[in-house]
Structure formats: structure tokens, C-alpha cells
Amino acid sequence: MPDVLCDPDQIYQVALNLLVNALQILPRGGEVIVRTLSVGTSDVAFEVADNGPGIPPDIREHIFTPFFTMKEGGTGLGLALVQRLVQAHKGTVFSQQ
Ligand SMILES: Nc1ncnc2c1ncn2[C@@H]1O[C@H](COP(=O)(O)OP(=O)(O)OP(=O)(O)O)[C@@H](O)[C@H]1O
Ligand SMILES: [Mg+2]
């Protein structure tokens, strides 16, 4: 992996929010896989994948909208923050099934 310039606290928050979402949806014994990838010579990416139910297609377009949540007691700010912080790093967030 190439070294990249980033705000470590912010990227930690990105990873934490994705991991917490995975852990909240998974049943006992579920699995989370984190992969890092290098893209070209100077860009990096990471992926957080869980083997839970997935994001229902009809809500996929809303998950990055602030305050959108399907969880009792959720604030719906996790993925909005993820997207903001990644964009501040000139990055892109993808959600895939
Ligand atoms: N790994 C996942 N699997 C399935 N659905 C997900 C996953 N991650 C997010 N979602 C869906 O996206 C919605 C928005 O996620 P987001 O992290 O923004 O808010 P939240 O987790 O509901 O609340 P908060 O992060 O504020 O506790 C979730 O309520 C859930 O419906
Ligand atoms: Mg969340």
C-alpha cells in the first residue's frame, strides 16, 4: 500500500462507523471482512463487507442522507458523516451488494 496523506482521526471515524453498522446488523456468528486496496499508484481504498441481510434496494439511495435511519434509536448520521469525511479527502464512497 502506498503511504497517503490523510487526517487519521477522520479516517478512523469512517472505518468505525462502517464497522459499527456491520456489527449492529449481524447476528451472532456473522462475519465482517475488511479489505484494503491500492488503486493506481497514489490512491488507496478500503472495503468493509458483512454477510448480513444487505441494504434493501429501496432504501439504498437514502442511506447517505443525514438523519435517515431504519434503526430504533439511530441518529442516521453515521453514513452521512462517512460520506462527508471521505469527500473532504477527495474520495468516493460506494455501497454495493
Ligand atoms: N452494513 C449494513 N447492512 C445493512 N444495512 C445497513 C448497513 N449499514 C447501514 N445500513 C442501513 O443504512 C441506514 C443508515 O445508516 P447510518 O449509519 O447512516 O445510520 P444508523 O446506523 O441508522 O444510525 P447511527 O449511525 O446514527 O447510529 C441504517 O439505518 C441501515 O438501515
Ligand atoms: Mg450507523
Side-chain angles (χ1 to χ4, degrees):
M1 296 287 285
D3 287 340
V4 290
L5 196 59
C6 72
D7 182 314
D9 293 334
Q10 292 185 1
I11 298 304
Y12 174 82
Q13 285 303 321
V14 169
L16 188 65
N17 272 287
L18 298 176
L19 284 166
V20 168
N21 278 349
L23 296 182
Q24 285 176 336
I25 204 116
L26 282 176
R28 186 173 295 268
E31 287 181 8
V32 181
I33 295 178
V34 179
R35 289 188 193 89
T36 56
L37 305 102
S38 77
V39 184
T41 50
S42 56
D43 288 340
V44 294
F46 66 89
E47 174 183 85
V48 179
D50 64 66
N51 65 349
I55 300 168
D58 53 320
I59 71 159
R60 221 171 289 162
E61 62 179 302
H62 305 298
I63 57 173
F64 296 110
T65 304
F67 305 112
F68 176 84
T69 182
M70 300 286 283
K71 292 173 196 168
E72 181 123 24
T75 68
L77 288 174
L79 291 179
L81 180 70
V82 163
Q83 189 171 56
R84 231 197 71 184
L85 295 179
V86 170
Q87 284 175 350
H89 284 76
K90 306 216 184 304
T92 314
V93 188
F94 299 92
S95 144
Q96 57 186 27
Q97 284 311 104

